[in-house]
Amino acid sequence: MAIFEDLLERWDGEQAVIHRDRESGGWIFICMHSTQLGPAAGGTRLKVYDTPADGLRDAMRLSAGMTAKLAVADLGLGGGKAVLAVPKIPEGDERRALLHRYGDAVESLRGAFITSSDVGTGETDMDAIAERTEHVFGRSKAKGGAGDPGPFTAVGVFHGIKASLAHVYGTDDLSGRTVLVQGAGSVGGALAELLGRDGAAVLVADVDTARAALVAAAADGSTLEPESALGAECDVYAPCALGATLSSTSIPELRCRIVAGSANNQLARAEDADLLQSAGILYAPDYVINAGGAIAINYLELHDRSQAEVDTALAKIGDTLTEIYARAEATGMTTAAAADALAASRLQT
Ligand code: NAD
């Protein structure tokens, strides 16, 4: 257990709840990194880790990321994250029982932590958690939730791409622009359609080639081989699949002017932001441009706001990026550093 002690000592967060889940043989970690701007909010990750400490480390790291993301999104929320580190992914009744035990743990925090879905969990899991606590969002529409956040995230990325085009080319007009959408899933599929509708030439790459073909057809675009897609000539590369696609190996291959997509943790290392800057590629910081789902679900489920208010808030993602780009240009810092500085300034007040 010394390793838990070590992790907790080095972490700069406020509070970690560690619950040994004897029934599943797993662990529940709830990390509340910051409640300075409001309750600590963040998704629930259900995953098999090599060691329990790896699960706790992940929850700590991800919760800090949520503090920055939600500070920039200006939602009056702090940052948190939960990890359910299990020996194997449970299904059926076992899964439901685990989610109930976890829901009880969330309830015991009486609103200091609020959660939604993340890797390994979805809206039906949030419905199960909601049977034990009201401090959960991202529930299914059938249970009064806002449903899949992907299409909302796509709208935010769309506004982010327009703001990035305006910064680089002086106009946000998409006609005549080529956008590579990597990952034709919940976000990428909706994004490709929005881009195609606005006149962009859309290139779609997905390891699921049938899905890529469907999405490309809906966007009036074309498909690319997923292995070689990154080297395609385009104005915008929108990573909407995996993280860490921007690295010292991939960046020299890119033939785009802008990277703007939904994937989390796009930079393999923090220094890769410098490589992008040196290559003359504008990078839309991932946690700023991909906040649309969190914003929409928060507005719709927690604050009962209207769709028109959601639309305005999603469009504001473009304005926030414009502000970040201006700050980066004025100071010479990378756009990633400018986003971090904006988050830090919101946390200072
Ligand atoms: P998804 O699982 O619906 O879609 C991901 C797609 O990427 C799948 O179609 C998959 O086949 C494809 N893919 C996987 N590996 C690939 C590869 N090497 N090359 C090309 N395609 C590949 O996921 P999603 O909800 O659309 O999310 C996409 C990304 O955006 C993820 O990184 C996610 O963490 C991030 N994100 C999503 C949301 C949201 O609201 N869904 C919010 C913030 C961030």
Side-chain angles (χ1 to χ4, degrees):
M1 291 303 131
I3 186 119
F4 278 8
E5 205 177 295
D6 191 44
L7 286 173
L8 288 162
E9 253 177 34
R10 281 187 285 122
W11 186 50
D12 65 348
E14 288 177 13
Q15 194 184 350
V17 174
I18 299 178
H19 172 80
R20 171 71 169 140
D21 188 55
R22 289 202 169 71
E23 292 88 337
S24 67
W27 295 81
I28 292 172
F29 302 112
I30 302 175
C31 290
M32 288 165 273
H33 179 260
S34 170
T35 54
Q36 195 185 323
L37 300 177
T44 298
R45 185 164 288 200
L46 176 64
K47 197 175 155 183
V48 176
Y49 290 87
D50 288 342
T51 69
D54 288 339
L56 176 58
R57 190 180 292 110
D58 218 17
M60 288 176 162
R61 179 181 64 86
L62 293 164
S63 69
M66 287 307 293
T67 298
K69 176 174 182 156
L70 294 172
V72 170
D74 211 7
L75 291 173
L77 291 173
K81 203 82 176 186
V83 161
L84 311 184
V86 285
K88 77 173 183 24
I89 301 297
E91 298 300 340
D93 288 348
E94 258 179 62
R95 185 176 180 114
R96 192 180 173 80
L98 168 65
L99 294 167
H100 281 170
R101 293 190 295 277
Y102 167 61
D104 289 340
V106 172
E107 179 61 19
S108 74
L109 298 168
R110 291 181 297 181
F113 174 70
I114 57 177
T115 198
S116 60
S117 55
D118 191 67
V119 173
T121 60
E123 57 189 47
T124 52
D125 298 312
M126 299 307 113
D127 290 346
I129 295 166
E131 287 163 5
R132 294 305 179 101
T133 180
E134 61 177 306
H135 305 297
V136 57
F137 54 112
R139 287 167 289 125
S140 67
K141 283 189 175 155
K143 298 281 179 183
D148 180 9
F152 295 115
T153 303
V155 172
V157 173
F158 177 76
H159 288 298
I161 287 176
K162 301 262 287 179
S164 306
L165 288 170
H167 186 77
V168 169
Y169 298 112
T171 164
D172 69 356
D173 192 356
L174 273 159
S175 53
R177 299 286 172 213
T178 303
V179 183
L180 162 62
V181 178
Q182 181 188 41
S186 173
V187 180
L191 175 65
E193 216 170 314
L194 289 170
L195 293 166
R197 209 184 294 158
D198 243 35
V202 184
L203 306 173
V204 183
D206 196 301
V207 286
D208 182 336
T209 49
R211 188 181 281 180
L214 273 177
V215 166
D220 212 5
S222 51
T223 58
L224 291 178
E225 291 298 322
E227 301 78 25
S228 53
L230 276 194
E233 184 144 3
C234 56
D235 297 292
V236 183
Y237 160 44
C240 297
L242 314 165
T245 59
L246 303 169
S247 67
S248 54
T249 318
S250 69
I251 291 168
E253 283 176 28
L254 296 178
R255 287 158 73 206
C256 61
R257 291 292 310 279
I258 295 164
V259 175
S262 73
N264 281 312
N265 304 318
Q266 292 171 26
L267 301 169
R269 303 162 314 146
E271 306 86 272
D272 294 323
D274 300 299
L275 294 184
L276 285 167
Q277 189 180 38
S278 310
I281 297 172
L282 182 70
Y283 168 61
D286 46 14
Y287 69 78
V288 180
I289 194 171
N290 74 12
I295 292 170
I297 284 182
N298 186 277
Y299 268 42
L300 294 171
E301 288 190 38
L302 292 187
H303 299 293
D304 215 14
R305 304 267 192 102
S306 68
Q307 184 59 46
E309 287 174 298
V310 172
D311 294 343
T312 305
L314 296 181
K316 215 176 133 220
I317 289 177
D319 301 338
T320 305
L321 283 169
T322 301
E323 191 187 323
I324 286 168
Y325 296 156
R327 192 169 181 159
E329 209 160 71
T331 58
M333 64 169 94
T334 65
T335 54
D340 290 346
L342 177 61
S345 70
R346 296 228 164 121
L347 287 161
Q348 255 163 28
T349 49

